[in-house]
Amino acid sequence: YSFSVVSKDEIPPDEYALELNGITIKETAKLGPRPEKPIEIYEFESCPFCRKVREIVAILDLDVVFYPCPRNGPNFRPKVLQMGGKLQFPYMIDPNTGVSMYESDDIIRYLVDNYGDGNVPLSLSLGFLTTLTAGLGNLSRIGKGTTYTPAKFPPKPLKLWAYEGSPFCKLVREVLVELELPHLLVSCARGSPKRHILYQKTGYFQAPFLEDPNTGIEMFESAEIIEYLRATYALV
């Protein structure tokens, strides 16, 4: 990730740039090889081991199909046990290589080796300390994104433009997990070129942004997205 302060005139009208107090900031990031198909990860929001993996997903700017596995979830928890033999999370499948694995540190290493520069960021390489800090980060929302709420299963995965580290994205992810709604997460952290794509698509950049191919609905604003998800899919 890198940034530079530029003149507003240097940014084309259809290109996203961060504006802070009248200052225009151009953000970029160096990306590794891109997977042809999205990585698949089975996990749930409040798990610190899962959070570590979501952080490297954001850092590497990877698009991932997340299969939420809340406690008592009827769909994806049993599937993980069937596929891998253990009820353990996160569980990753890379359809580009056929590789599947448990263990957050192993998944991080795999993703960095295959889709990054081979170097695990220091913040994700501290073993127990990394897991501890990931867990502490969830304390303010303890219990959220953990337990299944009965819901209708969507014919197609939803699409969420989001990134780990945004509190607004986290609120939406909690509800997606509780309702066990599979979703393609389009990573758009700071420096991501996909910020430009969303800007060109909507004329605006803000995360989260939800697209539901089952209803045709597209929307910004975490509170409105949460209200929509519960009204559309929750059974209670």
Side-chain angles (χ1 to χ4, degrees), residues 4-22:
S4 58
V5 177
V6 299
S7 167
K8 188 173 183 178
D9 296 335
E10 294 181 41
I11 304 297
D14 63 345
E15 186 173 313
Y16 166 78
L18 181 64
E19 299 280 347
L20 288 176
N21 298 322

Side-chain angles (χ1 to χ4, degrees), residues 196-227:
H196 303 296
I197 295 172
L198 184 57
Y199 185 85
Q200 292 170 346
K201 174 181 173 66
T202 65
Y204 186 66
F205 175 78
Q206 181 178 303
F209 177 69
L210 179 75
E211 297 178 71
D212 187 344
N214 304 289
T215 63
I217 287 291
E218 298 182 354
M219 61 173 61
F220 290 105
E221 299 297 343
S222 57
E224 294 180 12
I225 293 172
I226 289 169
E227 182 179 359

Side-chain angles (χ1 to χ4, degrees), residues 34-230:
R34 303 290 83 191
E36 183 178 341
K37 301 176 183 177
I39 308 299
E40 300 173 6
I41 298 179
Y42 294 75
E43 53 94 68
F44 59 99
E45 178 67 26
S46 60
C47 165
F49 301 100
C50 299
R51 177 170 179 167
K52 289 162 57 176
V53 171
R54 293 197 304 270
E55 287 180 3
I56 199 63
V57 163
I59 291 169
L60 298 178
D61 199 43
L62 296 174
D63 293 350
V64 170
V65 178
F66 280 110
Y67 293 101
C69 299
R71 187 178 301 130
N72 301 323
N75 297 298
F76 300 123
R77 278 193 169 236
K79 188 174 180 179
V80 168
L81 181 60
Q82 181 183 24
M83 291 187 299
K86 294 187 290 185
L87 203 58
Q88 179 179 310
F89 306 95
Y91 181 69
M92 183 209 75
I93 299 174
D94 185 348
N96 303 283
T97 63
V99 168
S100 60
M101 63 177 67
Y102 292 102
E103 299 296 343
S104 57
D105 289 339
D106 291 344
I107 293 172
I108 290 169
R109 165 54 61 190
Y110 172 85
L111 293 175
V112 165
D113 285 345
N114 285 272
Y115 305 112
D117 62 4
N119 296 310
V120 176
L122 178 62
S123 61
L124 291 174
S125 64
L126 301 177
F128 173 74
L129 183 59
T130 296
T131 305
L132 178 62
T133 56
L136 291 174
N138 286 327
L139 284 180
S140 63
R141 302 286 298 171
I142 191 166
K144 300 294 184 179
T146 300
T147 304
Y148 176 64
T149 297
K152 294 181 286 186
F153 194 81
K156 300 177 183 178
L158 283 65
K159 186 175 183 179
L160 181 70
W161 300 68
Y163 60 98
E164 191 70 15
S166 163
F168 302 103
C169 296
K170 177 175 175 56
L171 295 174
V172 172
R173 279 259 314 153
E174 288 172 353
V175 176
L176 286 168
V177 170
E178 290 168 359
L179 297 177
E180 204 184 23
L181 300 176
H183 54 283
L184 170 65
L185 184 135
V186 181
S187 290
C188 51
R190 300 283 293 274
S192 170
K194 281 168 278 183
R195 291 195 168 207
H196 303 296
I197 295 172
L198 184 57
Y199 185 85
Q200 292 170 346
K201 174 181 173 66
T202 65
Y204 186 66
F205 175 78
Q206 181 178 303
F209 177 69
L210 179 75
E211 297 178 71
D212 187 344
N214 304 289
T215 63
I217 287 291
E218 298 182 354
M219 61 173 61
F220 290 105
E221 299 297 343
S222 57
E224 294 180 12
I225 293 172
I226 289 169
E227 182 179 359
Y228 165 78
L229 292 174
R230 287 177 172 155

